[in-house]
Amino acid sequence: MTLSALLQRTTIIDHEEVLRACNASLKASRNDLETQHIKFIALLKLDRYDDALRVLVESGDRLIQRAGVERAYTLYKVGKLEEAKKVAKGIEDQRGARHVEAQASYRSEDFANAAVLYKELAGSRAAEEGEESDLRINSGATDAQLEWTKQGELVQKKRPGREDLEAFETAYNAACGSIARGELGQGEMLLKRAKDLCNALDELTEQEKTAELLPISVQQLYVLSKLGKTEEAEKLASDISLQEIPDLYTRQIAQNNKLAATPTMSHPYLSHRLFHSTETLPNTEKLFKLQAERMQQNGLALDLLASKSNGVIKTTSSLLSESSPITSAHMNNLSVLNAAAHAQSQLAKLGLKQILPLLEKRPKDVGLTMTIIQLYVLTNNHGSAVTILESLVKHLSDSVTPADQDVLFAPGLVALQVSLYTQQGRRSQIKTVLAKAASYWRHRSKPPTSLLQASGLSLLDSSNPDHQAIARDIFNTLHTQDSTSKFATAGYVVAHALTSPEKVTAEADTLTPVPRLIAGIDVAALEDTGVPSLPSATTTTSRKRLLDEKPKPAKKRVRKSKLPKDYDPSKTPDPERWLPLRDRSTYRPKGKKGRQKAAEKTQGGVNNEKTAEGKSTGTDGLIKAAEKGGGPGKGKKKKGKK
């Protein structure tokens, strides 16, 4: 009797026993396909996926063709996601293969394909197969990931429904989607709902509840930190025990969130040690790309706080050398960290002195340029900031690489130019920049709507016919994409009102009439109150007039009076008040010796005082000595010996 026939007559619950029976049978019949298949399934049940894949390869093509879905699932579990997707996609008319393909797509971050597959699976057969709950959970997780990766336009369900609030898994996924969209308040509410639903479950043990609640608490800690609720975040962080988290993936994120929630309480060196104390994740439990990038940035930031600047420079320089100018937030953040490491985290002029030489080596580095501009703005040096930005724009404009052109007209870079030009009152340059950006993007497949709206609104106010033509094209595009948008419709009407008003009559009728818009506004009160406006450099005078005006002389500083208290302006001041007291004509020394010295020291007189030898030391003696040409020793007789 074969093993397959024997197993059909017996009941074995323990998969280890099944595996031992298969091994014993294969010793007698090594090529028994049925036994090989049973052994393969037993290894999958025991979560021994590497051994199962080895058995599959050793068994040959017959077992590979027979166990297609199981093979795809095994490849997915060992981390070979692309190969798993390929195998599952090749299997037709099997729901199991579609499930494996969707899950492999999710883990490989192909969220768009995963969303399509889950939508196909959630059809009429979902209720028959009892998969409604699982599909709702997986679809919610996929939608949340689409929001995180800036693909929110593919998400059909933006608001959680009643069915999403009935299970803690769906409530948690809805909370993640809200957090990704920036709706932190709603995310906090949904996380609390997920906790309450999990605690209310009777079919879970206390240990299982703890395992399910910990990931919710970790996400809740992130939300509280973002909302600025520091005290609540610190209390929640103290309640999270890392040792109780069995999943290494969740444990690493929990460690990061705990350190971020208590920045003032953590010592930089202790935080650095705790951050790097977590275990390395295996290939099957790797972080998503967005999470891995944030973790890398946090690690480098802690390295800077721990005075490991050289390590940060080495790590970031190697990564930046492999990339070209891109708008990736991660690479630009690495560039900022590289600049901070070179500047030793110093700001203002000290930091600029260390960072500016780097711009000569990386003139098209967007992150480095943004850092320098920010430092110039902090020192109120907007002129130098504009110069640095225009240098980057020139380097990108001279490049013929399509990727560089995408960076040149990136909405963020265009917005920065507009902001700096607005600071200097350069309105014509603003319109030129917006016109170029709009002309570049409106012919693309997915133009940035916000940039087109800002460009169209600004160019409508331009007196340049070319700018007005571009504005008409922009609002034609926006109105065609979304005819229900009030902004696009109003811009479309204004753009065509002067050139072809008959073309926009129907659209103008759909807009709210002006009397209704100003129905609750008291015009007289507004005129009496006045409209406040911020002063600008070009509000009252033009730049040319400012240059023509002559500078006004500086006002002289008036010092405090130092006149004496008894000063009388009617009296004439003493002309000898600047002379020393003893040199004044009114000076009278006291005593006999004092009067004698005063008489001998008459200013300008000849001193006839004689030396002890009786020779005159006056002026006549000096002149006689000069006439004789006498020097030391001349005119003296040599003395002989006594």
Side-chain angles (χ1 to χ4, degrees), residues 76-305:
Y76 158 71
K77 295 299 290 185
V78 298
K80 298 181 178 181
L81 302 177
E82 294 299 328
E83 190 174 353
K85 286 166 57 179
K86 183 178 179 181
V87 172
K89 193 174 182 178
I91 304 173
E92 298 179 357
D93 300 330
Q94 287 200 30
R95 291 182 64 84
R98 299 287 77 75
H99 277 284
V100 174
E101 183 184 358
Q103 196 65 17
S105 299
Y106 178 86
R107 284 303 306 169
S108 62
E109 303 191 36
D110 187 4
F111 304 117
N113 186 46
V116 172
L117 291 170
Y118 283 128
K119 185 178 179 181
E120 293 176 357
L121 288 169
S124 58
R125 290 186 57 188
E128 299 174 5
E129 301 290 341
E131 300 172 351
E132 284 183 322
S133 177
D134 292 338
L135 287 174
R136 189 180 300 115
I137 293 171
N138 293 341
S139 297
T142 304
D143 289 344
Q145 292 292 350
L146 286 171
E147 295 284 1
W148 280 114
T149 54
K150 309 301 180 185
Q151 302 179 72
E153 69 277 1
L154 300 177
V155 178
Q156 297 181 354
K157 191 176 181 181
K158 295 286 186 179
R159 292 285 179 267
R162 182 181 298 274
E163 65 278 2
D164 295 323
L165 303 179
E166 296 175 353
F168 77 91
E169 297 96 340
T170 53
Y172 175 75
N173 288 334
C176 292
S178 299
I179 296 167
R181 289 190 296 270
E183 301 168 356
L184 299 177
Q186 182 174 339
E188 183 184 14
M189 182 270 294
L190 290 170
L191 288 174
K192 290 180 180 179
R193 174 67 177 173
K195 269 190 170 182
D196 295 340
L197 290 172
C198 184
N199 284 319
L201 289 176
D202 296 331
E203 58 267 22
L204 294 180
T205 63
E206 291 299 324
Q207 186 177 2
E208 291 173 340
K209 284 184 181 181
T210 302
E212 296 290 350
L213 287 171
L214 280 171
I216 302 176
S217 298
V218 172
Q219 191 72 301
Q220 195 173 14
L221 180 59
Y222 170 80
V223 174
L224 292 174
S225 301
K226 295 287 287 184
L227 288 173
K229 299 181 179 180
T230 308
E231 295 181 0
E232 295 182 37
E234 291 181 359
K235 184 179 182 302
L236 182 61
S238 62
D239 295 338
I240 296 176
S241 176
L242 298 178
Q243 289 74 19
E244 296 181 359
I245 302 177
D247 186 9
L248 293 177
Y249 173 91
T250 307
R251 190 186 305 171
Q252 193 174 72
I253 297 176
Q255 179 68 276
N256 176 81
N257 289 1
K258 287 188 68 174
L259 292 174
T262 55
T264 57
M265 303 296 291
S266 301
H267 193 277
Y269 296 97
L270 178 60
S271 299
H272 183 273
R273 184 175 66 83
L274 291 174
F275 182 84
H276 294 283
S277 63
T278 54
E279 301 177 30
T280 304
L281 296 177
N283 292 332
T284 56
E285 296 185 15
K286 283 190 174 182
L287 299 171
F288 287 109
K289 182 181 178 182
L290 180 64
Q291 295 171 325
E293 290 175 350
R294 298 287 177 87
M295 296 289 283
Q296 185 183 34
Q297 294 170 24
N298 291 345
L300 292 172
L302 287 173
D303 289 344
L304 283 177
L305 293 175

Side-chain angles (χ1 to χ4, degrees), residues 226-479:
K226 295 287 287 184
L227 288 173
K229 299 181 179 180
T230 308
E231 295 181 0
E232 295 182 37
E234 291 181 359
K235 184 179 182 302
L236 182 61
S238 62
D239 295 338
I240 296 176
S241 176
L242 298 178
Q243 289 74 19
E244 296 181 359
I245 302 177
D247 186 9
L248 293 177
Y249 173 91
T250 307
R251 190 186 305 171
Q252 193 174 72
I253 297 176
Q255 179 68 276
N256 176 81
N257 289 1
K258 287 188 68 174
L259 292 174
T262 55
T264 57
M265 303 296 291
S266 301
H267 193 277
Y269 296 97
L270 178 60
S271 299
H272 183 273
R273 184 175 66 83
L274 291 174
F275 182 84
H276 294 283
S277 63
T278 54
E279 301 177 30
T280 304
L281 296 177
N283 292 332
T284 56
E285 296 185 15
K286 283 190 174 182
L287 299 171
F288 287 109
K289 182 181 178 182
L290 180 64
Q291 295 171 325
E293 290 175 350
R294 298 287 177 87
M295 296 289 283
Q296 185 183 34
Q297 294 170 24
N298 291 345
L300 292 172
L302 287 173
D303 289 344
L304 283 177
L305 293 175
S307 302
K308 298 180 180 292
S309 300
N310 292 334
V312 175
I313 292 173
K314 183 178 179 181
T315 302
T316 54
S317 297
S318 61
L319 294 173
L320 292 172
S321 62
E322 301 173 359
S323 65
S324 57
I326 55 176
T327 55
S328 167
H330 175 59
M331 297 306 299
N332 288 326
N333 286 335
L334 292 181
S335 181
V336 173
L337 290 168
N338 179 270
H342 278 92
Q344 300 293 324
S345 300
Q346 294 177 333
L347 299 177
K349 294 182 179 180
L350 294 176
L352 286 169
K353 184 178 180 181
Q354 303 296 329
I355 299 175
L356 282 173
L358 300 176
L359 197 60
E360 298 178 1
K361 300 177 182 178
R362 309 199 305 263
K364 295 192 290 185
D365 191 327
V366 178
L368 177 60
T369 304
M370 297 296 174
T371 305
I372 295 174
I373 291 173
Q374 181 66 24
L375 292 178
Y376 273 129
V377 171
L378 289 176
T379 58
N380 203 24
N381 191 351
H382 295 89
S384 298
V386 171
T387 302
I388 294 296
L389 181 59
E390 289 178 345
S391 175
L392 172 65
V393 170
K394 184 178 183 306
H395 282 95
L396 294 174
S397 300
D398 295 340
S399 176
V400 296
T401 307
D404 291 354
Q405 298 301 308
D406 290 343
V407 176
L408 174 62
F409 297 109
L413 193 59
V414 173
L416 180 60
Q417 294 181 70
V418 171
S419 177
L420 291 176
Y421 286 153
T422 303
Q423 184 71 26
Q424 295 184 330
R426 300 164 63 177
R427 297 184 178 180
S428 60
Q429 283 86 345
I430 292 174
K431 296 185 185 300
T432 302
V433 169
L434 291 174
K436 290 181 179 179
S439 300
Y440 178 80
W441 284 112
R442 60 196 174 94
H443 299 298
R444 302 283 167 169
S445 57
K446 293 182 179 181
T449 305
S450 58
L451 177 61
L452 292 181
Q453 290 176 348
S455 301
L457 187 62
S458 176
L459 296 177
L460 278 177
D461 192 30
S462 176
S463 58
N464 190 336
D466 295 335
H467 290 174
Q468 294 178 2
I470 295 174
R472 283 193 293 272
D473 292 341
I474 290 173
F475 282 107
N476 286 341
T477 304
L478 294 175
H479 185 64

